[in-house]
């Protein structure tokens, strides 16, 4: 792999014990002139990096960019970078669409596609996922799992639960998963997940996990949702400012590990524990819509295939897909 100079510089700065690296050490390590280093530092500044430059000590990162930096992600995720498996775009139609194109093109999986903004962000059930360039996470992870199609719903649930655990661990958030794959913080939606697959009757050949996270800003849904805006950003919900680049690195590491655990079928026990902790609907009165049917009842347990069991007067219904809302 040919690594670009910016990634090498960011890695050297991140790895330096005191954070400082001199311009001449960078020039020597990259086999380029001091002037070339200066040019790359200027480009990084334009990207949003701020550096301290101190005589005899060199440069140090003072502030990371507000928006995503390909150099930062490549520097921190070498196991993906060395396969050129991180695709960071300024703008895309949809990271899911791009991931699907890359898989169709024969690129090696797993791979990651991230965009600073999307012009045709897709949500579940044919909805639009608003994706402005405002420091949010719009990303897709693409796999070739060769698993049975019955594993698709448990996979989406497992990844949703993993994101809940991740968000709780970064602090000051109490995320909850609303079946099948919406994540709520403070009673409002903060994360949406869209899983798409190419499969036949026996095998899932290609699997794309698309995740939209309102990190810095949430769409205003006041008009769409009578009773107030039902979306929230993580910054608002946690009362602190999350730094998008380290957040993205930790999220991708967590998700790739969770995929491995799932693929090796080692997820069942943890799944049960996480489901008990993060299931928003447990025992709640709900209204479920699937196709044209509307079911009112109590959300009960999960079937092994990930269907949600709704108990009602006439017995129970297993919900395989659809939308569930809490009844007030
Ligand atoms: C939903 O809640 O309806 C799911 C939203 C999923 C949005 C993400 S953003 C990244 C990826 N690319 C897309 O076009 N959609 C998903």
């Amino acid at each position: 792999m040919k690594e670009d100079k910016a990634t090498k510089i960011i890695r050297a700065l991140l790895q330096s014990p005191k954070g400082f690296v001199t311009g001449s050490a960078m020039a020597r390590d990259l086999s380029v002139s001091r002037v070339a280093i200066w040019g790359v530092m200027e480009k990084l500044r334009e990207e949003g990096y701020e550096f301290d430059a101190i005589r005899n000590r060199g440069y140090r990162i003072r502030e990371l960019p507000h928006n995503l930096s390909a150099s930062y992600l490549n520097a921190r995720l070498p196991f993906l970078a060395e396969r050129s498996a991180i695709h960071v775009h300024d703008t895309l139609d949809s990271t899911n669409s791009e991931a699907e194109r890359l898989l169709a093109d024969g690129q090696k999986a797993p791979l990651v596609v991230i965009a600073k903004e999307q012009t045709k962000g897709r949500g579940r059930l044919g909805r639009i996922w608003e994706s402005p360039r405002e420091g949010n996470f719009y990303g897709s992870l693409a796999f070739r799992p060769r698993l049975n199609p019955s594993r698709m719903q448990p996979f989406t649930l497992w990844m949703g639960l993993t994101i809940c655990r991740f968000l709780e661990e970064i602090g000051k958030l109490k995320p909850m998963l609303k079946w099948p794959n919406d994540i709520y913080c403070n009673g409002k939606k903060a994360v949406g997940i869209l899983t798409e697959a190419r499969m036949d009757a026996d095998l899932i050949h290609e699997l794309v996990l698309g995740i939209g996270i309102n990190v810095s800003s949430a769409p205003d849904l006041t008009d769409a949702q009578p009773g107030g805006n039902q979306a929230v950003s993580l910054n608002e919900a946690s009362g602190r400012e999350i730094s998008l680049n380290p957040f993205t690195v930790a999220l991708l590491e967590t998700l790739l590990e969770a995929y491995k655990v799932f693929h090796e079928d080692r997820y069942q026990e943890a799944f049960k524990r996480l489901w008990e902790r993060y299931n928003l609907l447990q025992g709640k009165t709900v209204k479920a819509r699937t196709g044209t049917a509307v079911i009112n009842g109590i959300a009960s347990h999960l079937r092994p295939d990930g269907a949600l069991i709704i108990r009602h007067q006439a017995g129970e219904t297993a919900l395989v897909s659809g939308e569930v809302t809490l009844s007030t």
Side-chain angles (χ1 to χ4, degrees):
M1 177 210 40
K2 189 158 170 356
E3 200 168 51
D4 67 5
K5 294 187 192 72
T7 299
K8 285 187 180 152
I9 288 177
I10 294 300
R11 179 173 306 122
L13 290 165
L14 291 171
Q15 285 178 348
S16 157
K18 294 208 167 123
F20 280 102
V21 183
T22 61
S24 50
M26 291 180 189
R28 187 191 61 227
D29 292 348
L30 273 66
S31 313
V32 295
S33 67
R34 294 277 306 267
V35 175
I37 295 293
W38 188 85
V40 179
M41 298 300 280
E42 272 314 292
K43 284 234 165 62
L44 287 166
R45 283 196 179 95
E46 279 162 25
E47 226 191 285
Y49 284 91
E50 289 176 29
F51 299 104
D52 292 323
I54 298 184
R55 221 172 210 283
N56 298 328
R57 299 189 74 189
Y59 295 101
R60 175 173 66 180
I61 298 172
R62 180 169 2 115
E63 198 78 57
L64 293 172
H66 177 66
N67 220 321
L68 282 166
S69 155
S71 320
Y72 184 89
L73 300 185
N74 279 307
R76 291 278 317 271
L77 297 165
F79 59 100
L80 289 174
E82 68 197 18
R83 293 196 292 104
S84 307
I86 311 175
H87 303 257
V88 182
H89 292 259
D90 249 27
T91 180
L92 271 179
D93 50 354
S94 148
T95 57
N96 269 30
S97 302
E98 176 66 7
E100 284 155 15
R101 289 190 288 264
L102 291 170
L103 287 177
D105 205 37
Q107 300 262 342
K108 257 196 163 175
L111 60 85
V112 175
V113 179
I114 302 177
K116 295 178 190 170
E117 71 177 350
Q118 298 181 119
T119 52
K120 285 190 188 145
R122 296 201 290 276
R124 284 180 64 235
L125 309 169
R127 295 186 186 129
I128 290 169
W129 185 260
E130 277 186 42
S131 313
R133 182 190 290 261
E134 277 168 25
N136 289 333
F137 178 85
Y138 314 115
S140 303
L141 282 78
F143 308 98
R144 288 204 181 79
R146 301 187 65 76
L147 290 173
N148 189 280
S150 63
R151 304 278 302 276
M152 174 112 172
Q153 184 71 292
F155 171 75
T156 305
L157 289 167
W158 167 244
M159 291 313 240
L161 291 169
T162 299
I163 296 172
C164 286
R165 193 198 62 199
F166 170 76
L167 294 179
E168 188 171 25
E169 280 172 6
I170 65 171
K172 303 212 188 286
L173 288 165
K174 182 71 188 85
M176 297 298 279
L177 183 77
K178 182 166 81 66
W179 183 97
N181 47 16
D182 289 338
I183 295 176
Y184 279 63
C185 291
N186 299 355
K188 295 180 178 180
K189 183 160 164 173
V191 180
I193 301 173
L194 178 69
T195 316
E196 296 178 313
R198 194 178 67 74
M199 55 178 128
D200 58 29
D202 302 315
L203 278 184
I204 306 174
H205 295 280
E206 293 170 354
L207 183 60
V208 173
L209 177 78
I211 303 166
I213 308 183
N214 303 328
V215 178
S216 298
S217 78
D220 185 356
L221 303 178
T222 319
D223 292 339
Q225 311 255 356
N229 191 5
Q230 300 297 306
V232 72
S233 69
L234 298 185
N235 284 353
E236 190 188 336
S238 66
R240 71 193 180 98
E241 189 144 333
I242 290 168
S243 185
L244 187 61
N245 284 292
F247 172 90
T248 300
V249 167
L251 176 69
L252 294 176
E253 284 172 338
T254 303
L255 293 172
L256 290 167
E257 175 59 24
Y259 172 77
K260 201 161 163 254
V261 170
F262 183 84
H263 197 253
E264 292 167 4
D265 216 358
R266 294 187 281 117
Y267 71 105
Q268 316 271 6
E269 224 172 276
F271 185 105
K272 258 175 95 187
R273 228 181 28 248
L274 296 181
W275 178 252
E276 274 159 27
R277 183 167 182 82
Y278 297 118
N279 174 17
L280 177 75
L281 301 176
Q282 184 58 48
K284 301 261 167 59
T285 307
V286 296
K287 184 190 280 287
R289 291 188 182 80
T290 172
T292 51
V294 177
I295 305 152
N296 289 293
I298 309 278
S300 180
H301 56 286
L302 275 186
R303 230 172 39 180
D305 65 355
L308 180 70
I309 306 296
I310 311 275
R311 294 219 162 101
H312 45 77
Q313 278 172 340
E316 30 178 76
T317 300
L319 206 64
V320 177
S321 64
E323 176 93 329
V324 183
T325 47
L326 288 169
S327 304
T328 40

